Amino acid sequence: MSAPLLELSGVHTHIGPYHILQGVDLAVPEGGVAVLLGRNGAGKTTTLRTIMGLWTASQGTITFKGKDITRLSTPEIAKHGIAFVPEDMGIFTDLTVSENMTLAANSGPIDSSRLDWIKQLFPPIGTFWDSSAGTLSGGQKQMLSVARAIIEPRTLILIDEPTKGLAPAIIKAMTDALRELKETDTTILLVEQNFAMASTIGDTVSVMDD
């Protein structure tokens, strides 16, 4: 079998006095959707944030495409082709949808064909292109958050609970979009509480416990 695209080996993360991750081993194969399940407080979000360098592992190693990225900064990790969609979405509410997308395309002008594809995945992106992101509904903000992460081709996208608090119709739209995204060359590591949604698009699953 080929080596995993992403691998965590014995990863520990401390946040202040709290020992959150205690020896996490996780392998994410290349291609498709890897789902990370677990109860609230198990450390799923901390795992994603540690991979992204927002928190630094106090022990263990994180390798991506065979390269040790454990001590890299978040910008350096992003340059390796990893994007992060946080649970709080992290959009700039005072900027327009267009400005949010332009900021995410940090290598230059937005590729028009890729933008057309994203607007097809998430129609509200086109509908509210010139509107303030702060005026969007919760589901539309979540779509914008994912759209920003994929405005440029990424090797790996970390997505933290994209359907949390969303209406069933929006969950279906998000599920359909992620299903199409996984057919590209992008690998997705998905943290999700909605098991019904996760089971429809997930190819592998890992469970955090104890």
Side-chain angles (χ1 to χ4, degrees):
M1 295 180 64
S2 60
L5 176 67
L6 174 77
E7 186 168 19
L8 281 67
S9 300
V11 170
H12 293 248
T13 299
H14 289 77
I15 303 174
Y18 302 104
H19 191 179
I20 308 299
L21 300 186
Q22 303 181 20
V24 172
D25 297 313
L26 175 66
V28 177
E30 186 169 6
V33 177
V35 179
L36 182 58
L37 298 174
R39 58 177 173 75
N40 288 334
K44 303 183 300 300
T45 293
T46 300
T47 299
L48 297 189
R49 292 179 66 87
T50 301
I51 294 168
M52 202 66 212
L54 294 166
W55 288 319
T56 302
S58 51
Q59 186 179 327
T61 58
I62 303 171
T63 56
F64 178 67
K65 297 174 68 173
K67 178 180 175 60
D68 188 343
I69 64 170
T70 313
R71 305 298 171 192
L72 297 185
S73 67
T74 298
E76 290 172 321
I77 291 170
K79 288 177 181 178
H80 279 76
I82 303 178
F84 178 42
V85 180
E87 183 182 352
D88 63 4
M89 305 177 213
I91 64 173
F92 298 102
T93 56
D94 292 336
L95 302 182
T96 65
V97 170
S98 170
E99 290 167 336
N100 269 270
M101 295 292 285
T102 300
L103 281 174
N106 55 19
S107 66
I110 296 176
D111 179 87
S112 58
S113 61
R114 190 167 183 86
L115 179 59
D116 289 342
W117 171 66
I118 289 173
K119 288 179 178 179
Q120 175 261 317
L121 284 180
F122 302 116
I125 300 299
T127 302
F128 299 103
W129 186 247
D130 295 316
S131 300
S132 169
T135 65
L136 302 180
S137 69
Q140 291 163 351
K141 289 176 180 175
Q142 188 63 273
M143 290 180 182
L144 174 58
S145 186
V146 175
R148 289 191 320 175
I150 63 174
I151 191 59
E152 292 186 350
R154 311 290 186 186
T155 305
L156 173 66
I157 299 181
L158 315 174
I159 308 180
D160 195 0
E161 296 201 44
T163 66
K164 186 176 181 178
L166 301 186
I170 301 297
I171 291 175
K172 182 182 184 305
M174 183 67 67
T175 302
D176 291 344
L178 294 180
R179 184 179 290 113
E180 184 168 335
L181 179 61
K182 84 171 189 173
E183 297 303 322
T184 69
D185 292 330
T186 300
T187 300
I188 300 171
L189 175 56
L190 175 69
V191 164
E192 184 54 71
Q193 293 280 7
N194 186 328
F195 181 76
M197 178 270 195
S199 63
T200 63
I201 64 170
D203 299 294
T204 62
V205 62
S206 300
V207 179
M208 297 196 76
D209 199 7
D210 296 328

